Amino acid sequence: MLEHMLPLPLLQFQSFLTWDSLKMNMDMEVSTSFHDFLYRMRHPASLDLVRSIKSFIVSFSFHQPKPENDGKRVQDFFVSMEAAIRDHSLWTTASEEDIDCAMQGLEKYIMTKLFSRTFSASAEDAKIDNEISSKICLLQTFLKPEHLDIPPILQNEALWLLAEKELLKINAFKAPHEKLLSIMNCCRIINNLLLNAAMSEYVPAGADGFLPVLIYVTIKANPPKLHSNLKFIKLYTRQAKLISEAEYYFTNLVSAKTFIVDLNAKSLSMDEIKYKESMQAAKLTNKVTSELSSACQMSQQEKDDSSCSKKMHNKLDDTGVLQHGSNYPYMEAKSKELTVGDVDMLLSDYKDLVAKYTILCKAIGCLSTAEREPLLRHLEMQGPETLLNFTAPSDHHRHK
Amino acid sequence: MARPGNKIIQAKLVLLGDMGTGKTSIALRFVKGHFFPNQEPTIGAAFFTQILSLSEATVKFDIWDTAGQERYHSLAPMYYRGAAAAIVVYDISSVDTFVRAKKWVQELQTHGNQKSVMALVANKSDLEPKREVEAEVGEQFAQENGMFYMETSAKTAENINELFYEIAKRLARALPPKPTGMNLNSDIQDRGRNYFCCSA
C-alpha cells in the first residue's frame, strides 16, 4: 500500500501504528459483539427476546416510512430492549460492557433488517445526496489546501489518503455504529496529524486546524450518500452512543457537509472571478463526460463511479487499457443478441472507455478556459460519434 | 474523583473565539494541569475531557473547541447547541477579536441555551504592554450580558484554574440535585443526553 512506502517521519509513523492497532481492536470488538449477540439469541432462554425483536420488525411494515417517527420508534425499542436484557436470565452476571455488546449486536441486527426502509428512503434524500456529490465533483477539479488556508505543516498527503479511505467506508456498513466508527477513525487520523504538527511546531492544535482539514478530506473522498449517511446515523445510532467525543466528531462532519453545501466564492481564499471560472470549467468538463457516457448508453451510476467517486489520478495510471480495442463492435448490437459469452468483451470495452474518458477530461482540464470553451462547443455540435473518433485513435492527449 | 454521595454533572462546554485568541491553549492548560488517578483526561486536538471535583459536585467537562475563522462562523450553532457552558475568548492585544467576541455573545443570547453558564475571557493578559482592550470595557460588556468576566493567560496559566472552577461552581448551583436512589452505574445512560435536555 502506498502509505507504507512513504518515508513518514518517525513520530508520525509511531502514532500511525498505535492508531492502526487501536482500529483493529475496535473492528474486532464490533464483530465479536455481533456474533456473541447472535449466539445468545439462539439460546432457548432468549426466545422471548427473539419474539419481541421479530414482532418489532414486522410491526414496522404496518406504517408508512417516515424518518422522524421511525427514528423515535427504533430508539424507544432500544431502550425497552436494554431494560429487558438487563433483567434477563442470560445476562444476570453480565458487566456493563456485556450489556453494551448485546445492545450493539441488537442495533446491527435491527438496522440491517430495516435498512432498505430507513436508509435514504425518500426521493428528497437521494436528491440532496446527488447535489452534494456533484458539487464535490466540481470542487475536486480545482480546490487546493491553500484555498482553505490549511498550513503546510498540516498538508500530509499520506495521512489524508488514510483518512479519506476511512471516511469512504461510511457507506460500506449498514449498522449505524459502524458508520459512526468510520467517521471516528477518519477524525482520529486528522487528530493525530494535528497533535504531531503541534509537537514539532510548539503551537497548540485545535479546531482552527481540524475543521479545514476535515472539509478538505471530505471533498477529496466524496463519500457516497453523505447526507443520507449522516441522517441515518443521527436517527438510528443508540442515543447513549452518540455522545462526547463521538458526538463531537459527528458534529464536525455535519458541519463540513453544511460548509460544502453552502460553499461559494466568499467561503474560500480565492479570487471571486477565478472561482466562477473554475466552477464553469468544471461543469463543462463534466458535461462532456456525461455526453460521452450517454452516447455509449452507460448508466448514470457507472458514470458517477468512473468519473467522480474514484480519484482521477489513480485512473490515469491505467493507460495500459488503452492498448486494447479501439473499435466498438457492440455499438450496433441489440440486447437480445447478446450472450453471456459477451460479458468479458463488454467489460473490457467498458474499462477501455472509462480510461479514455478520464484521460480526455484530464487533457481538457489542462487547457485554459479560453481554449476550452470553443473546442467543447465545437465537439458538442459534431455529436457523440465525433467525440468517439476524437478520443479513440488519437495518441495526442496521452502524451500531453 | 467522585466523592461518595456527591452529585455528578456531565457538562458540555463550548469554546468560541477568533482564530489565534488562544481558545485551544486555555483548554490545554486546564486539561493538562490536573491529573486524577483512574481518570485519564482526553487530550485530543480539538476535543478534551476533564473532571473537576468541588465540595458540592463533581463536574465532568466535555470541552468542544470550534474553528474561529470567519468563514466557519455560520456553523457555530451546531457546536453550541445543548452546551451547558460557553467560554467566549478574545485577545486583550487585539480589539478586532473583542469585536468578534461581542458578536458571539449576542448570538448566544439570541440562539443559544438561555440557561447556560457564559464566561467572557480576556486572554493573553501577559501582553499587558500591547493591550488594546481595557479591562473595564470587557467587564462592563460581560455584566450587561449576564456573564462573568475573567482575564487569563494561557501562557502563564494565570486564572485558568479559577476560570473552570467558577464555571463548575455555577453549574453546580444552577442544577438541582439528581433524584436520590439513583444507580451510579447508569452513568453511561445519563451521558446520553446533554444535561439540559428535558427528555433526559
Side-chain angles (χ1 to χ4, degrees):
Chain A
M1 275 190 332
L2 181 67
E3 58 267 24
H4 289 286
M5 300 189 301
L6 287 167
L8 292 171
L10 185 63
L11 194 66
Q12 285 170 349
F13 195 56
Q14 279 174 339
S15 72
F16 163 59
L17 274 183
T18 44
W19 172 81
D20 211 38
S21 51
L22 175 84
K23 190 180 75 88
M24 260 169 55
N25 285 339
M26 287 165 73
D27 285 350
M28 273 163 60
E29 267 171 40
V30 168
S31 67
T32 43
S33 74
F34 189 56
H35 288 124
D36 183 62
F37 170 76
L38 293 178
Y39 178 75
R40 284 186 198 235
M41 285 300 136
R42 274 184 220 117
H43 195 282
S46 63
L47 194 64
D48 50 337
L49 295 176
V50 174
R51 276 207 192 106
S52 348
I53 294 169
K54 285 200 168 153
S55 80
F56 176 73
I57 290 170
V58 170
S59 77
F60 237 74
S61 57
F62 299 154
H63 304 86
Q64 283 294 315
K66 206 174 172 194
E68 282 66 33
N69 293 357
D70 287 359
K72 173 133 198 347
R73 282 163 51 91
V74 169
Q75 292 293 349
D76 289 349
F77 183 67
F78 286 156
V79 171
S80 72
M81 281 301 283
E82 185 170 340
I85 286 174
R86 278 181 195 281
D87 289 343
H88 201 276
S89 57
L90 275 183
W91 278 274
T92 37
T93 57
S95 64
E96 277 303 312
E97 280 93 315
D98 295 336
I99 303 279
D100 193 55
C101 275
M103 287 307 296
Q104 194 152 299
L106 176 74
E107 184 206 88
K108 181 168 176 157
Y109 184 80
I110 300 265
M111 294 322 294
T112 306
K113 289 281 179 192
L114 296 175
F115 192 74
S116 58
R117 176 196 166 110
T118 50
F119 182 79
S120 192
S122 74
E124 180 66 15
D125 287 340
K127 189 172 159 253
I128 298 173
D129 284 333
N130 280 338
E131 280 167 6
I132 295 174
S133 180
S134 313
K135 184 161 186 186
I136 292 180
C137 273
L138 300 179
L139 292 170
Q140 277 178 344
T141 62
F142 65 90
L143 195 79
K144 300 273 178 302
E146 295 74 35
H147 298 140
L148 290 166
D149 298 316
I150 297 173
I153 186 148
L154 297 181
Q155 298 183 18
N156 184 325
E157 288 287 345
L159 284 182
W160 284 0
L161 197 64
L162 212 57
E164 284 163 44
K165 276 160 100 182
E166 286 305 318
L167 188 56
L168 280 169
K169 289 183 192 161
I170 193 174
N171 205 42
F173 296 114
K174 285 186 174 168
H177 69 258
E178 288 171 341
K179 287 180 182 288
L180 183 61
L181 196 59
S182 65
I183 298 179
M184 298 275 290
N185 287 339
C186 166
C187 288
R188 281 187 179 133
I189 296 168
I190 300 174
N191 187 61
N192 278 353
L193 167 65
L194 262 80
L195 289 178
N196 289 337
M199 263 187 261
S200 54
E201 293 253 302
Y202 302 103
V203 289
D208 292 346
F210 182 87
L211 184 60
V213 173
L214 180 63
I215 290 172
Y216 194 74
V217 163
T218 307
I219 290 174
K220 291 218 341 168
N222 197 2
K225 302 184 197 307
L226 182 57
H227 159 79
S228 292
N229 275 302
L230 291 171
K231 187 173 171 181
F232 184 76
I233 293 169
K234 177 93 194 158
L235 284 174
Y236 300 107
T237 302
R238 279 182 297 145
Q239 269 170 19
K241 286 290 149 181
L242 196 55
I243 54 156
S244 202
E245 195 171 15
E247 189 190 9
Y248 180 73
Y249 288 145
F250 177 78
T251 305
N252 271 286
L253 189 60
V254 173
S255 122
K257 182 206 83 174
T258 311
F259 181 81
I260 292 167
V261 168
D262 298 338
L263 191 146
N264 57 32
K266 290 193 185 70
S267 325
L268 301 171
S269 295
M270 191 176 188
D271 181 59
E272 210 165 327
I273 297 163
K274 181 93 202 308
Y275 173 82
K276 279 184 186 149
E277 267 185 16
S278 307
M279 284 300 264
Q280 199 57 37
K283 276 178 197 156
L284 276 167
T285 313
N286 280 14
K287 199 172 165 214
V288 167
T289 319
S290 75
E291 294 216 346
L292 277 164
S293 42
S294 62
C296 298
Q297 298 163 356
M298 286 165 71
S299 73
Q300 185 66 25
Q301 187 57 46
E302 285 167 327
K303 190 217 99 186
D304 286 349
D305 286 352
S306 64
S307 68
C308 303
S309 312
K310 292 173 190 166
K311 300 285 135 15
M312 286 204 171
H313 55 85
N314 290 350
K315 285 299 211 172
L316 273 175
D317 298 337
D318 296 338
T319 39
V321 199
L322 273 181
Q323 309 309 320
H324 312 289
S326 49
N327 56 345
Y328 301 96
Y330 293 99
M331 275 304 281
E332 308 296 323
K334 302 270 185 307
S335 55
K336 278 183 217 152
E337 299 162 1
L338 297 177
T339 66
V340 182
D342 292 316
V343 170
D344 280 353
M345 191 64 182
L346 276 169
L347 184 66
S348 91
D349 276 1
Y350 163 74
K351 286 180 180 167
D352 179 28
L353 281 170
V354 169
K356 280 172 182 162
Y357 300 149
T358 313
I359 288 167
L360 178 67
C361 292
K362 187 81 179 172
I364 291 172
C366 295
L367 302 173
S368 74
T369 321
E371 287 173 274
R372 199 179 314 171
E373 285 192 44
L375 173 69
L376 292 174
R377 221 166 283 137
H378 175 73
L379 288 173
E380 274 176 42
M381 272 156 50
Q382 302 290 309
E385 282 82 8
T386 326
L387 284 179
L388 274 180
N389 294 335
F390 172 71
T391 53
S394 162
D395 283 347
H396 173 73
H397 290 283
R398 215 185 318 160
H399 298 306
K400 184 132 191 168
Chain B
M1 281 216 312
R3 290 166 199 167
N6 206 341
K7 70 174 167 179
I8 296 170
I9 299 171
Q10 183 73 39
K12 170 177 162 184
L13 183 151
V14 67
L15 291 163
L16 298 162
D18 209 348
M19 201 180 168
T21 49
K23 297 182 298 283
T24 319
S25 308
I26 290 173
L28 276 174
R29 265 289 177 196
F30 167 59
V31 172
K32 287 186 174 172
H34 306 254
F35 287 102
F36 301 112
N38 309 323
Q39 283 291 359
E40 290 269 325
T42 307
I43 307 177
F47 175 85
F48 317 88
T49 64
Q50 183 57 291
I51 294 176
L52 262 192
S53 259
L54 308 174
S55 54
E56 59 269 42
T58 298
V59 181
K60 292 183 171 180
F61 282 111
D62 271 356
I63 304 175
W64 290 39
D65 195 8
T66 61
Q69 296 94 322
E70 181 79 48
R71 65 167 67 109
Y72 305 121
H73 190 101
S74 62
L75 305 170
M78 293 182 213
Y79 293 85
Y80 61 67
R81 185 179 302 145
I87 299 180
V88 180
V89 187
Y90 67 91
D91 169 359
I92 64 155
S93 70
S94 154
V95 71
D96 290 349
T97 64
F98 182 57
V99 174
R100 245 358 256 295
K102 288 205 272 191
K103 240 172 109 179
W104 256 301
V105 170
Q106 273 145 10
E107 196 180 313
L108 283 172
Q109 300 285 5
T110 39
H111 302 293
N113 179 353
Q114 297 300 319
K115 286 190 233 158
S116 68
V117 173
M118 296 209 295
L120 182 67
V121 169
N123 193 33
K124 306 202 184 174
S125 60
D126 51 291
L127 294 181
E128 190 56 49
K130 293 186 188 165
R131 182 188 279 275
E132 285 185 8
V133 187
E134 293 308 319
E136 300 79 55
V137 179
E139 204 162 358
Q140 200 194 338
F141 182 78
Q143 252 179 16
E144 286 164 8
N145 288 280
M147 51 201 311
F148 76 88
Y149 171 85
M150 208 167 256
E151 294 225 344
T152 61
S153 167
K155 195 174 174 186
T156 66
E158 188 203 347
N159 268 345
I160 298 292
N161 288 340
E162 288 78 358
L163 170 66
F164 286 90
Y165 269 103
E166 184 60 33
I167 292 173
K169 262 194 239 161
R170 287 174 185 239
L171 285 170
R173 219 180 301 148
L175 271 181
K178 291 200 172 173
T180 48
M182 222 185 86
N183 180 6
L184 285 174
N185 287 331
S186 66
D187 189 25
I188 303 163
Q189 284 167 290
D190 284 347
R191 285 157 56 102
R193 278 97 187 179
N194 295 319
Y195 82 96
F196 274 119
C197 178
C198 18
S199 71

